[in-house]
Every structure is written in structure tokens, then in C-alpha cells.
Amino acid sequence: MRLDTVFSIVESHRKGVVTPPETVRRCYERIRALGDPGIFITLRDEGEAVAEAHGLTKNRDFYGVPVVVKDNIDVAGMLTTAACPAFAYQAEDDAEVVKRLKRAGAVIVGKTNLDQFATGLVGVRTPYPAPRNPLRRDLIPGGSSAGSAVAVATGIVPIALGTDTAGSGRVPAMLNNIVGLKPSLGLISTRGVVPACRTLDCVSVFALSVDDAWTALRAMAGYDPKDPYSRERAPAALSSASTQAKLGVPLMSQRLFFGDGRAAADYKAALSRLKHMGFQLAEVDMEPFTETAQLLYHGPWLAERYLAVRKIIEENPNALHPVTRAIIAPGANLKASDTFAAFYRLAELRRAADDIFERIDALVLPTAPTVYTYEQVLADPIRLNSRLGTYTNFVNLLDLCAAAVPAALHGDGTPFGITFIAPGGQDALAASLAKSFHNICGVAPGVQAKLEVLAK
């Protein structure tokens, strides 16, 4: 089973092998055949989507490509729920990213499930059925962008939009064996996105290949004068990553896998492959990154999460998922003095991180230190979620960019992935490094890899 990519779909449309309406119909057929009620919160009317596909022109990068959108991103005429029915509203306009993808020829087919208010890395903090991990049914799908990642991994669509504040565009990529791009802050507009931490939020991209993800990123990127957090950050073109690049890796004592020996071995094997490719590896002290990560949920940015949902948590607290409420509610009690103290410390940590990046071109880290089952997460929801963010929580606070790719998939369906992390504005570097590794690592994307492993 070979999953359709953006490039294969567009080429087939331009050659007349299939038509955009036929591709959209096939997308809905796959949704029905899969039968997973947890992927979508709202599915667009099939006839409406097919009719839109009839009117597209060939000279567009996403000519007739079906796309899904995380349900904290507005699509005109559809509900935005953020996985909280009491919060739901009908969007009057498209989010800026949706507008740009539509202009590129994409057809939106649905809004996907998520950890409520994009608070979580597990994918099961939702009042709706949780999406099923297509690689191994007992594993969590990863969050918060769970539905979007599963939709790509199962071949429903080749591109899906997520968001990323603490790792929600990267952890689900690993857990579903696909590519996840987390852009630099301000590169892609967040206008029309329900905020988690507005100063840190990014729209992320899930795809089967780095090339596909990069095509989507370039279609959406660009300054938005109506978004006060938008920046003039034009992405460069992808290139063949220079094997002279120096990649930072944690000190041996700082490589955390929480007892998962196989994940540790997978990371070691990935590093060996990178050395064989010619890259230089240099151990770095991860302490500045680790301390930064602690600020995200133990500092004033928790108050920012509270601010985003203040109305509903104050007026109807029972509308929130119990774990989501338990995490966000303490944000009401933080003091302004605590906020400024954290800002000062973050400035110091940013300087320390800058000094590290003076000696390396990028970090290469495990995307997540291990994987967990539904039962494990339900029994210990906050601690295990925190562990999944070990290598992701610091990235947005330090204004870095990242590209996550598969690195291993075992016979029992357990995935492992690595992430290349570069300074803000160097998205093309992170993506180029990820592409070079993904092209030679031998792991097919999504469920395609699962079928290949089973066939051996």
C-alpha cells in the first residue's frame, strides 16, 4: 500500500489520470472504510467538497489536494470547538492559513479531534472518542493534534494542519510515524486560531514527506499585518543538507528515556546513521533547554493558557475535561511579580541557548523519550504527558524551529522518531536536515511502514 502524496495527487490531476472531484470522493471513501469515529469532530458535507473541487484550476501547488484542519483553526461555515462543545462557535471566516491553502488549490474536508484547548501531548483529553493509533491500537495517538496526525498516517489526506505550543506538531508525528514541521514563531499567521499560549502558538504541518510539508509551509507562510504576532520571516528553499553541519546531542547523562531501552537504542542507531552520513556530532549541556521547558507549565505561561479560556472556566468549569481543568485552573493564581521573574530568567536561558547554537548548527534529539498506552495515560495523565514533552517543551519559548521525522518502526508497531531543531528563522535548515535523514533511514511513512514491516 503506497499512500498518496501531494506531489503524486497534483501530478495525477494535471495529467488527467484522475480528477480532483474523484480524489475528494476517494478521501471520503477512506474515511468510511476506516471507521474511526475519533478522527473528526466535524466532517464537511461530501457533496459540497466535491463541488468545490470541480471549479479548481491546474496551475496551483495544491490543485485538488484534500486537507484536514485541527478543530482549533477556523474554517468558514464550520464549527470550531477546540474539543469543548460548550465553547463551540460557527466560524464566519477562514483562518488566514486556511485562506492561503485554499488559494493554493486545497480542498478542506474536515475538522479534526484534539486534546481539549490544545492542552496535552497525549491525544485522549477530549470529550469525543479518542482517535485510534493506526500503528498499534493500544498506543495513544499523541496530542494535542491527534486527529490531524492520524488522518495523514492512515492515508485519508496527505497534508493536515495542527498547532504546536509545547510539542503538539511533533509528538503526534512520532507516534503516527509521519513528518511534523513546527515553524519559527510568526512565520505563519495564527489569526483565526483559538489560542493556547498566544505568544508561543504555531500552526504546524503533518505530512508523509518533508517535501510535502515544506510545500504546505511555503503556501501558508508570509507576513500578516492583521496578526500582531506575525513577523517578516520568508522561508528559504530546501537544499541538500551539508554533511559538514555540526549537530548537537545531549550529554550521555542527559539522555532520558524513562526506562525505555529500545527507544534509547533507536536514538543511538539514528546518531550512528547520521555519523555514517558524514555529519559531525557534538555533545552539549542540555540544562538551559531543560530549565526552559519547566517554565512552560510551572511559570507564567500557564496564566496565558488560563487567559485563553477564562470565560468558560469561570462561568462553566464543568464544561472542561477534568485533566484540562486541573492543569489550567492554577493559572488564575500567578502573580505579576512571578511573571517578570520568569521573563528575566527566560532571557538568561535564551542567551545560554544562543551560545550553544554558536557552536552547533542544529540539535538532533528524540522527538519523545518513549511511547505510552491508553491505559497507562489514563492511570497517570499528567506525569506521563509531561514526560512526552521532555525534548519539545522548550522549543517555542526559545524561538526555535523544528522538523520531526520517523527513525524506526518495530514489528509490534512501536514507533520512534527524531527531531532536528534550529534557531528561529532557519526553518529551511531544520527541514533540509530532516529530509536528508528521512530519505535514507528506510522507514516508510504512516501505515505504509506497518504493512511493510508485517510483510517481512
Side-chain angles (χ1 to χ4, degrees):
M1 176 186 179
R2 184 162 295 278
L3 303 181
D4 295 327
T5 65
V6 170
F7 288 95
S8 67
I9 290 172
V10 171
E11 183 179 32
S12 294
H13 290 170
R14 288 175 176 163
K15 290 182 176 179
V17 177
V18 295
T19 67
E22 288 171 339
T23 295
V24 172
R25 287 193 192 97
R26 185 170 59 187
C27 172
Y28 282 86
E29 288 170 0
R30 287 176 174 169
I31 293 169
R32 288 188 285 269
L34 193 61
D36 182 350
I39 298 175
F40 292 94
I41 292 178
T42 305
L43 196 60
R44 189 178 177 196
D45 177 76
E46 182 175 356
E48 180 183 305
V50 170
E52 181 179 310
H54 271 289
L56 300 172
T57 56
K58 292 183 178 181
N59 61 340
R60 300 184 183 187
D61 288 341
F62 279 80
Y63 174 43
V65 174
V67 172
V68 299
V69 176
K70 185 177 180 179
D71 197 21
N72 60 343
I73 302 173
D74 287 347
V75 176
M78 299 185 72
L79 285 178
T80 299
T81 73
C84 181
F87 173 82
Y89 61 89
Q90 183 160 312
E92 296 181 358
D93 198 6
D94 290 324
E96 180 64 18
V97 289
V98 173
K99 287 181 181 177
R100 295 187 184 204
L101 278 180
K102 284 183 175 180
R103 283 199 295 265
V107 179
I108 308 300
V109 299
K111 306 288 294 297
T112 55
N113 205 351
L114 64 149
D115 281 328
Q116 190 177 73
F117 291 113
T119 301
L121 293 173
V122 290
V124 301
R125 293 176 183 169
T126 171
Y128 305 98
R132 296 193 294 262
N133 188 312
L135 304 175
R136 217 181 96 182
R137 291 176 66 91
D138 63 326
L139 292 181
I140 58 170
S144 61
S145 311
S148 288
V150 172
V152 171
T154 54
I156 291 173
V157 292
I159 288 288
L161 300 189
T163 59
D164 189 309
T165 305
S168 296
R170 292 162 279 158
V171 171
M174 180 183 117
L175 282 162
N176 289 276
N177 193 49
I178 57 175
V179 171
L181 284 191
K182 190 223 78 72
S184 298
L185 295 177
L187 176 63
I188 295 176
S189 173
T190 55
R191 182 161 55 96
V193 178
V194 177
C197 291
R198 193 178 178 194
T199 58
L200 302 178
D201 294 338
C202 297
V203 173
S204 60
V205 184
F206 296 107
L208 299 171
S209 72
V210 175
D211 281 329
D212 274 5
W214 192 252
T215 300
L217 182 143
R218 287 182 66 93
M220 295 186 296
Y223 180 69
D224 176 8
K226 295 182 180 179
D227 174 6
Y229 291 97
S230 182
R231 301 190 197 178
E232 294 277 8
R233 279 184 151 172
L238 291 186
S239 61
S240 298
S242 171
T243 54
Q244 298 304 307
K246 182 178 288 188
L247 304 178
V249 301
L251 298 169
M252 288 297 297
S253 61
Q254 296 173 333
R255 298 180 189 182
L256 300 177
F257 297 97
F258 301 100
D260 189 338
R262 186 159 64 177
D266 287 338
Y267 182 56
K268 183 178 180 181
L271 296 185
S272 294
R273 187 179 295 274
L274 286 165
K275 287 180 69 175
H276 183 73
M277 293 169 67
F279 291 103
Q280 302 176 61
L281 302 183
E283 290 192 346
V284 299
D285 183 358
M286 291 292 293
E287 182 56 33
F289 303 102
T290 302
E291 185 179 341
T292 300
Q294 294 301 312
L295 291 175
L296 191 60
Y297 282 101
H298 298 91
W301 288 271
L302 189 58
E304 191 172 19
R305 285 188 183 270
Y306 183 89
L307 183 62
V309 299
R310 180 170 61 184
K311 181 176 173 62
I312 195 163
I313 202 171
E314 292 178 354
E315 296 179 359
N316 188 11
N318 290 331
L320 270 70
H321 188 284
V323 178
T324 306
R325 185 173 65 245
I327 291 168
I328 294 178
N333 302 318
L334 290 165
K335 297 183 295 185
S337 57
D338 296 330
T339 299
F340 282 103
F343 285 169
Y344 301 154
R345 183 55 183 154
L346 179 60
E348 294 169 348
L349 293 168
R350 281 179 174 160
R351 184 62 55 85
D354 289 344
D355 289 344
I356 291 172
F357 278 107
E358 287 293 322
R359 305 193 302 273
I360 60 172
D361 297 293
L363 290 167
V364 55
L365 305 176
T367 301
T370 187
V371 298
Y372 292 114
T373 65
Y374 280 89
E375 289 187 2
Q376 287 173 312
V377 167
L378 292 177
D380 194 357
I382 294 177
R383 186 168 67 105
L384 299 192
N385 183 97
S386 178
R387 287 181 176 180
L388 290 174
T390 298
Y391 300 108
T392 62
N393 282 354
F394 61 84
V395 172
N396 283 355
L397 281 166
L398 295 176
D399 190 15
L400 308 174
C401 56
V405 289
L409 183 67
H410 297 281
D412 65 353
T414 302
F416 180 77
I418 61 173
T419 298
F420 296 87
I421 301 170
Q426 296 190 34
D427 300 74
L429 171 62
S432 295
L433 290 166
K435 177 181 176 179
S436 294
F437 179 84
H438 194 215
N439 284 349
I440 62 99
C441 78
V443 180
V447 296
Q448 183 178 326
K450 177 182 177 180
L451 296 173
E452 291 181 5
V453 167
L454 291 175
K456 291 181 180 179

